[in-house]
Amino acid sequence: QVQLVESGGGLVQPGGSLRLSCAASGSIFRINAMGWSRQAPGKQRELVAVIGISTNYLDSGKGRLTISRDNAKNTVYLQMNSLKPEDAAVDSYYCNVDITEPRLRDQNYWGRGTQVTVSS
């Protein structure tokens, strides 16, 4: 089993910044990719950024979002700058990791989410 602990969410004014963190622990042989998705109430979850062999971002987030990874800590970060209300009027951001277990089986895990609110 793998546990994901997310942190860094909160209330921020438009134009402000937040940094989300997600630490993975447990039965991990290798982390293949780590990412963040967001979900607004009543809407589908959408991928915001992912880092693995390559790094990819939601088009609306390019230039304002930076995803990074600390392999020694099994932690992924999402730095969000110049936040707009459409980034998260009231959204939950979810961490997602794709790992290979010690038994060499690939698994995918989701965190419980951290709420981000952009509002004046």
Side-chain angles (χ1 to χ4, degrees):
Q1 275 291 64
V2 172
Q3 295 77 44
L4 301 179
V5 178
E6 298 146 320
S7 62
L11 172 64
V12 61
Q13 292 186 342
S17 299
L18 278 178
R19 189 173 86 150
L20 306 182
S21 300
C22 173
S25 62
S27 187
I28 300 171
F29 174 72
R30 180 180 62 237
I31 296 180
N32 302 312
M34 306 181 85
W36 290 93
S37 295
R38 70 184 182 196
Q39 187 169 23
K43 294 188 177 181
Q44 286 190 327
R45 192 173 296 184
E46 62 176 352
L47 180 67
V48 173
V50 62
I51 183 168
I53 295 175
S54 60
T55 302
N56 290 288
Y57 296 94
L58 184 69
D59 283 346
S60 63
K62 290 180 180 178
R64 300 184 298 113
L65 304 181
T66 302
I67 189 170
S68 60
R69 181 173 158 180
D70 185 333
N71 292 327
K73 296 180 179 180
N74 287 343
T75 299
V76 62
Y77 305 95
L78 183 66
Q79 177 68 42
M80 302 188 290
N81 298 325
S82 302
L83 283 164
K84 304 175 182 179
E86 50 264 40
D87 290 319
V90 180
D91 284 9
S92 289
Y93 278 69
Y94 295 90
C95 174
N96 177 249
V97 296
D98 184 87
I99 66 121
T100 300
E101 296 179 333
R103 295 175 293 177
L104 301 184
R105 184 174 67 178
D106 290 346
Q107 295 283 6
N108 190 270
Y109 292 91
W110 288 92
R112 294 186 174 184
T114 183
Q115 188 165 301
V116 174
T117 303
V118 182
S119 175
S120 55

